[in-house]
Amino acid sequence: MSEDHHHDHQHHHDNRYSDMQARVRALETVLTEKGLIDPGAIDAIVETYETKIGPRNGAHVVAKAWSDPDFAEWLKRDATAAIASLGYAGRQGEHMRAVFNTPDTHNLVVCTLCSCYPWSVLGLPPVWYKAPAYRSRAVIDPRGVLAEFGLTLPETRKIRVWDSTAELRYLVIPERPEGTDGMSEEALAKLVSRDSMIGTAIAGMQP
Amino acid sequence: MSEDHHHDHQHHHDNRYSDMQARVRALETVLTEKGLIDPGAIDAIVETYETKIGPRNGAHVVAKAWSDPDFAEWLKRDATAAIASLGYAGRQGEHMRAVFNTPDTHNLVVCTLCSCYPWSVLGLPPVWYKAPAYRSRAVIDPRGVLAEFGLTLPETRKIRVWDSTAELRYLVIPERPEGTDGMSEEALAKLVSRDSMIGTAIAGMQP
Amino acid sequence: MNGPHDLGGQMGFGPVAPEKDEPYFHAEWEKRALGITLSCGAFGAWSIDESRHARENIPPADYLTASYYEIWTRALEVLLERHGFATRTEIDSGHKQTVPATPKRILAADMVPGVLARGGPCDRPVDTEPLFQPGDRVRTRNFNPTTHTRLPRYARSKTGVVEAVQGSYVFPDDNAHGRGENPQWVYTVVFDGGEIWGEGADPTLTVSIDAWESYLERV
Amino acid sequence: MNGPHDLGGQMGFGPVAPEKDEPYFHAEWEKRALGITLSCGAFGAWSIDESRHARENIPPADYLTASYYEIWTRALEVLLERHGFATRTEIDSGHKQTVPATPKRILAADMVPGVLARGGPCDRPVDTEPLFQPGDRVRTRNFNPTTHTRLPRYARSKTGVVEAVQGSYVFPDDNAHGRGENPQWVYTVVFDGGEIWGEGADPTLTVSIDAWESYLERV
C-alpha cells in the first residue's frame, strides 16, 4: 500500500546491513581483489587476540603487583613501562595507567564516547562494555550497574569512575583477597577476573 | 547460524511493530469487544481534524490581528480568550500565547521533549514537527533549520525560539506582508501558511 | 529522565524534511491510532504526564525510528496494560480474554465535539504568591532524575531571565507518577544562546522554556 | 558533535547484560570485521580520530542498535569511500571496478606481530609548560561543535580539580578533521558526582575525564 511506504521506509531504514556476514565477506573480497588487504593478516590478527592477548596478561600484572611491592610502586608511577617489562604493550595499550582499589575507594573504568579499553592487558572488550546500557549508566549510576554484575559495595565505599576520554587506558588493580598469603603469583593470577580489572567485580569473586 | 542469533536479535529487536496497520486494527478490535471504545467516536475525532480544526483557524486569527488593532492587543494580552472569541478553543489549545514577529525578532516554535503544538488553531502537527531532526536542531541551529525551509533571514535579525516545555501553546503572528493594504481579512488569511505560524516560514512566502 | 525524547541540541539526524502538501494522515492506521489514543485518554485513568512518560520509556532506538503515531500506540499499549484495561496477550491477538477495569468515562461519538472543545485545562490555583517576577535572574537547577521531568537537559544549570509569570499549573514531575497534581507557578525563562550552547552559538539566538517554580533558583 | 555516541548520563537502555563465559567473537564475520578494520587502518590514510568521528556520524537509531563490529564496519565503508580505496558500488557488490588510491602501507601477515606490538602512540612533545598543575581548580568549557570532540556533553561547564598532568597528546578535535595533530597537554580532571549530576547524585561518586588543555579554564 503506497501510503504506508513513508513509514515503512522510516522503520526499515537500512536493510542493507541486516546480513553482516554477507556484507563483511563482500568487503573482504573487494579489498583483497584490489590488493589492499592480505587475508592472512586478518587471520594473524584474529589468532593474536584469540590466543595471545587477553585478560591473562592483566591478571599476571595484578598478581605481580600483589606479590612484589617494588613492581606495584613502579606500576603506580609508570604503568606503561612496568607492564611492558612483562611483555605486554602495543595497540590500545600504548599509554597505560594502573588504578589501585583500596579499602576506601573502588575504581570503575568506562568509555562513554566509544569503547576505549586496554587491549594489551585485557584483550578485546566484551559486548556489554561497548553497549549503550553500560556506557550511559556507569558514570551516573555505578552502584546500579555493579548490582547487575552481582557486586554490592559498602555504602560508604567511594566510587571513582574513570571515563577514558583520551588515549590513556586504565587497568584496575583490585584488592588482594584475604586468605591468600603465601600464594604463588600463578595461583594469585587465577583469582583475577577480567571484570575485576575493569571494576565490575572484585578479585576472588565468583564470576 | 546460531552464533548469529545474538546480533540478529539486536538488529531486528521488535518485529511486532513492523505492521502498524495490523497492530492498530487488533487494538481497536479488542478495545471495541471490551466495550471500552466506540469506533464511531474515532470516526468523529478523525473527521474533526480532517475538516474542522486546521491551519485555517490560525490564519483567521492572524488575519484578524493584522486587520484589527484592538484584537491584536487582546491577543497579546490574553491569547486564549481572544482566540476563543473566534470559536477556536479546546484540546491542545487550552492555554494559548501569541508571539508577534517584528522587524527585529523572528519567532520559532518547537517542542524538544515531545510534540506539543497548538492543535486548536493549527490542527494536527506535520511529521517533521514531531521528528528528531527538527526537535533537536531548532533550539541550537535555527538558521540552519530555516534554510531547509527555504527561509533566509537577515543576519542581524534576532531569533527567539520557544521550546514548549509546559502546557502553553504558541502561535506565531507573522509580519503582515508589504503591499497588502486594504485587503480583506479573508484575502489576508490566504497569505498565512501553517509554517508561518510555527515560524519556519513568513507570511506570503511561496510554500 | 534523560531519555530519547530529550532531543534539544542532539545531532546526527540529518536535515529537516518538510513534505510538500503533506496530508493529515499517511495511512489509515494513523487515523485509528489518533482516535483510539484520544478515546482511551477519556477513560480518566492516566494523566497526560503519565502518558508522556510512557512515550519517553520506549527504548531509544525504537523511539528514534518510530513515527509519532507509532510512539503513541506503543505507549498506549503500556498504559492499557498498566491500568488493567487489556493484557499483552489481548493486545497481540486482538481478542478479548479478560474483563477490563472500569473507566471513568467511555467516549461515545456524540460526546466528541464537547470533549475536544473542552480539552484538558491544567491550570490550577495555588495559595502562594509567585517567588519570581519578570526581570528576575534565575538559574535552573541541576538534576537528572530517572523519572519524568519537563526541564530539558540542555537547559539545566543555566542562567536566564524571567520574562513572564504564566500562571499556575499541575506539576508534571509529580503528576506523572501519581504523586498528586501539586500545582506550581510556571515562568517563561529566556536564555541567551551563548549561555546554553557556549562558544560558537548563534549571537542572535535566545531560547525560552516554560519552567515550573521548583526548577528555578534565584541568582 | 552531540551524536549518538555521547552516552554518559543518557537513560532508557535497560540493564547491563553481561554474558557468562562470553566468547571472543559471536560470529565469523566479527573476526573478519576486526581484521579488515585493523588492516585498513594500516593504510595510514586516516587517523583514529577521523575513524572515531566516522562512527559518531552513523545515524543515531542505527548506532544504538548496531553491535560494535557493525559500527566499525559501517564507518570503515565511509572511510574507504572518502579516501578513494573503494566505491560504494564496489562495497555493495564485492567486486573491483576501479583502481584504488595508494596506501602508505599494506599489512602483510608477517607484519602483524610488529604492528600490533608497536600500536599507535599519540603522545607528542609540545614547547609549552602545562598551564595547570595538580590541585588546580578548573572549569570545562561550554561548546557544542558539530565536529569531533572528546569532551563529553555531561562534563561541559563543570568545575573540577586537576589530579594529574598526563603528558601531551595529539588533539583529536583538530586531527579528526585534517587540521593537524596540534598536540596539547592532557590532564586528569576529577569532578564530584554532585557537580555533574546535581541533586540526587550518589554522594560517594567522583568521575574523572582526561581533558585536553583547551577544554579547560582556570576557576
Side-chain angles (χ1 to χ4, degrees), chain C residues 25-169:
Chain C
F25 300 97
H26 290 84
E28 280 301 305
W29 70 263
E30 294 191 342
K31 301 182 186 178
R32 310 313 290 175
L34 167 71
I36 296 168
T37 302
L38 268 56
S39 295
C40 293
F43 294 170
W46 54 78
S47 64
I48 188 162
D49 304 305
E50 182 176 346
S51 65
R52 285 199 184 116
H53 191 56
R55 293 168 195 156
E56 297 162 6
N57 267 294
I58 293 169
D62 294 334
Y63 186 96
L64 297 174
T65 43
S67 73
Y68 218 80
Y69 287 114
E70 181 176 337
I71 289 174
W72 275 20
T73 304
R74 285 171 178 259
L76 177 62
E77 292 177 1
V78 169
L79 294 167
L80 289 168
E81 261 197 294
R82 183 185 298 162
H83 291 276
F85 294 108
T87 65
R88 176 55 53 184
T89 313
E90 289 177 316
I91 292 167
D92 287 341
S93 70
H95 293 294
K96 176 180 175 175
Q97 294 178 320
T98 64
V99 176
T102 305
K104 293 201 185 106
R105 183 169 56 170
I106 291 172
L107 188 68
D110 61 1
M111 297 158 63
V112 167
V115 162
L116 294 183
R118 267 193 307 280
C122 52
D123 50 337
R124 302 285 186 274
V126 293
D127 293 336
T128 56
E129 292 299 307
L131 270 181
F132 307 108
Q133 294 302 326
D136 285 356
R137 275 166 55 85
V138 289
R139 190 166 178 82
T140 51
R141 282 166 53 198
N142 183 20
F143 51 64
N144 289 269
T146 56
T147 49
H148 185 61
T149 184
R150 295 290 284 179
L151 181 60
R153 207 175 160 188
Y154 75 81
R156 297 182 194 155
S157 285
K158 301 293 178 192
T159 300
V161 174
V162 170
E163 188 178 73
V165 185
Q166 295 284 12
S168 53
Y169 294 87

Side-chain angles (χ1 to χ4, degrees), chain D residues 34 88 110 116:
Chain D
L34 167 71
R88 175 56 52 184
D110 62 1
L116 295 183

Side-chain angles (χ1 to χ4, degrees), chain A residues 62 65-66 99-107 153-154 157-158 172-178 180 188 191-193 196-197 199 201-205:
Chain A
V62 171
W66 285 346
V99 296
F100 289 70
N101 285 350
T102 68
D104 284 338
T105 302
H106 181 85
N107 293 286
L153 296 173
R157 185 73 53 96
K158 291 179 193 154
V172 174
I173 311 297
E175 288 186 277
R176 180 171 175 161
E178 294 192 10
T180 58
L188 287 168
L191 300 175
V192 183
S193 67
S196 74
M197 295 181 279
I202 56 176
M205 185 178 167

Side-chain angles (χ1 to χ4, degrees), chain A residues 13-14 16-17 20-31 33-46 48-51 53-56 89-92 94-95 97 111-116 119 122-128 130-143 145 148-149 155-170 194-195 207, chain D residues 5-11 13-20 22 24-29 31-36 38-40 43 48-49 52 62-64 68-70 72-74 76-77 80 85-86 88 90-96 98 100-101 103 106-109 112 116-123 149-152 154 163 166 169 186 188 190 197 202 204-210 212:
Chain A
H13 42 99
D14 210 344
R16 285 193 303 111
Y17 288 86
M20 286 303 296
Q21 185 84 24
R23 186 138 200 99
V24 172
R25 190 182 299 122
L27 195 56
E28 182 172 347
T29 304
V30 70
L31 294 173
E33 275 185 22
K34 291 187 140 193
L36 292 168
I37 62 171
D38 170 2
I42 298 175
D43 296 337
I45 290 165
V46 170
T48 302
Y49 290 107
E50 280 190 321
T51 64
I53 304 182
R56 289 182 315 280
R91 192 172 198 286
Q92 293 296 315
E94 295 90 343
H95 312 287
R97 296 294 178 272
C111 171
T112 61
L113 296 176
C114 49
S115 61
C116 294
W119 288 28
L122 297 187
L124 300 173
V127 167
W128 59 260
K130 301 179 279 186
Y134 182 75
R135 288 165 53 195
S136 60
R137 280 174 58 224
V139 286
I140 188 171
D141 180 25
R143 284 177 194 271
V145 167
E148 284 155 17
F149 284 87
E155 275 183 32
T156 54
R157 185 73 53 96
K158 291 179 193 154
I159 300 185
R160 166 68 176 274
V161 178
W162 302 78
D163 189 357
S164 311
T165 56
E167 299 308 332
L168 306 173
R169 298 289 170 270
Y170 294 94
R194 177 198 66 198
D195 288 3
Chain D
H5 68 291
D6 191 352
L7 285 163
Q10 286 296 104
M11 297 171 184
F13 298 104
V16 179
E19 182 183 354
K20 203 171 152 60
E22 182 176 335
Y24 289 116
F25 301 96
H26 290 83
E28 280 301 306
W29 70 263
K31 301 181 185 178
R32 310 315 289 177
L34 167 71
I36 296 168
L38 268 55
S39 295
C40 294
F43 294 170
I48 189 162
D49 304 305
R52 285 199 184 115
D62 294 334
Y63 186 97
L64 297 174
Y68 217 81
Y69 286 114
E70 181 176 338
W72 275 19
T73 304
R74 285 171 177 259
L76 178 62
E77 292 177 1
L80 290 169
F85 294 108
R88 175 56 52 184
E90 288 177 316
I91 292 166
D92 286 341
S93 70
H95 292 295
K96 176 179 176 176
T98 65
I106 291 172
L107 188 69
V112 167
L116 295 183
R118 267 192 306 279
C122 52
D123 51 337
T149 184
R150 295 290 284 179
L151 181 60
Y154 75 80
E163 189 179 72
Q166 294 285 12
Y169 293 87
V186 169
T188 297
V190 193
W197 306 116
D202 184 332
T204 65
L205 172 65
T206 54
V207 177
S208 64
I209 62 168
D210 291 319
W212 275 263

